[in-house]
Amino acid sequence: MTAIILAGGKSSRMGYEKGLVMYKNKPFIAHVIHATETLVNEVIIVSNNKNYDQFNLKRVNDIMVNTGPLAGLYSGLYHSTTEDNLVLSCDIPLITKELLEQLISEVSVEDDIVQVSIKDRTNPLLAVYKKRCMVSCLKTIKSGERRLQAFVNQQNTKTITLESSLEKFTQNINTQDQLNLLCNDIDN
């Protein structure tokens, strides 16, 4: 299995590269990489930002620029050599190996995508995608659709519901307020 981490770019709400935001003396993306270490045989970081080269992992540029996470997904799947691909956003620094193992255990041959849901909110950037999704991903982009959730809804997608107690481990940190809460939470 390959881990594809979408590093995205600068957050419009935070003003800087989210994957490189520091938390507990490590960039967000380092926490995500650490959670995947024993679960995958390769990590691909999808980003046009060369600062991610510091992690000495395979970094690939977006094949199509300025087209959002759907194009990032396509780029990662294009460069992947495995059928099953763990796709994660770079801004979930509390993600755990155990949660990822739970997700991976739900993957079956017939599912195109297996994503998680907590409190009735799905997360298509905490999911496993089959390599075969690459073809329909490109078709969706060429049709003009840019929304990742719209693409996911058109695939054979399984959604697993996680206990609400796991919500903090799947939370995307998108704003300075969320970052402040994360850094001030003594339970993390």
Side-chain angles (χ1 to χ4, degrees):
M1 181 175 290
T2 297
I4 299 171
I5 303 174
L6 302 182
K10 285 188 179 179
S11 165
S12 60
R13 291 188 260 176
M14 292 177 86
Y16 38 85
E17 187 80 27
K18 284 198 304 183
L20 300 175
V21 170
M22 298 300 284
Y23 172 66
K24 291 191 173 181
N25 300 315
K26 293 193 307 191
F28 278 4
I29 198 168
H31 295 277
V32 177
I33 293 165
H34 177 72
T36 68
E37 281 178 341
T38 61
L39 303 176
V40 301
N41 56 8
E42 178 181 35
V43 174
I44 298 173
I45 299 172
V46 180
S47 176
N48 295 342
N49 188 329
K50 291 181 180 182
N51 289 325
Y52 288 103
D53 292 343
Q54 68 183 297
F55 300 102
N56 297 315
L57 297 168
K58 183 176 183 177
R59 182 187 59 82
V60 299
N61 289 328
D62 283 311
I63 294 171
M64 293 165 266
V65 294
N66 300 321
T67 48
L70 189 56
L73 172 65
Y74 173 75
S75 299
L77 292 173
Y78 179 86
H79 289 283
S80 170
T81 59
T82 60
E83 179 59 25
D84 293 328
N85 298 277
L86 181 61
V87 176
L88 305 165
S89 61
C90 66
D91 60 355
I92 49 174
L94 297 181
I95 193 69
T96 65
K97 174 186 169 189
E98 293 76 22
L99 193 145
L100 295 176
E101 286 174 328
Q102 184 178 349
L103 170 63
I104 291 167
S105 74
E106 295 288 335
V107 175
S108 66
V109 174
E110 58 273 356
D111 299 315
D112 294 326
I113 302 166
V114 179
Q115 66 179 351
V116 299
S117 173
I118 292 184
K119 295 183 178 178
D120 297 323
R121 272 189 68 212
T122 59
N123 189 340
L125 290 179
L126 178 50
V128 174
Y129 288 75
K130 298 288 186 183
K131 171 94 172 170
R132 64 182 177 250
C133 288
M134 180 181 70
V135 174
S136 55
C137 189
L138 181 59
K139 285 181 186 175
T140 301
I141 293 167
K142 285 184 175 183
S143 77
E145 179 62 67
R146 298 291 184 261
R147 295 172 296 150
L148 181 57
Q149 193 62 58
F151 167 75
V152 168
N153 292 343
Q154 296 170 1
Q155 307 309 302
N156 184 17
T157 301
K158 178 195 292 184
T159 301
I160 60 166
T161 303
L162 300 176
E163 295 177 25
S164 59
S165 62
L166 299 175
E167 181 178 25
K168 78 176 192 173
F169 301 110
T170 66
Q171 184 181 9
N172 299 81
I173 307 300
N174 293 310
T175 67
Q176 189 63 48
D177 287 342
Q178 289 173 330
L179 179 60
N180 293 340
L181 285 172
L182 176 69
C183 292
N184 293 324
D185 186 352
I186 59 171
D187 292 333
N188 290 332

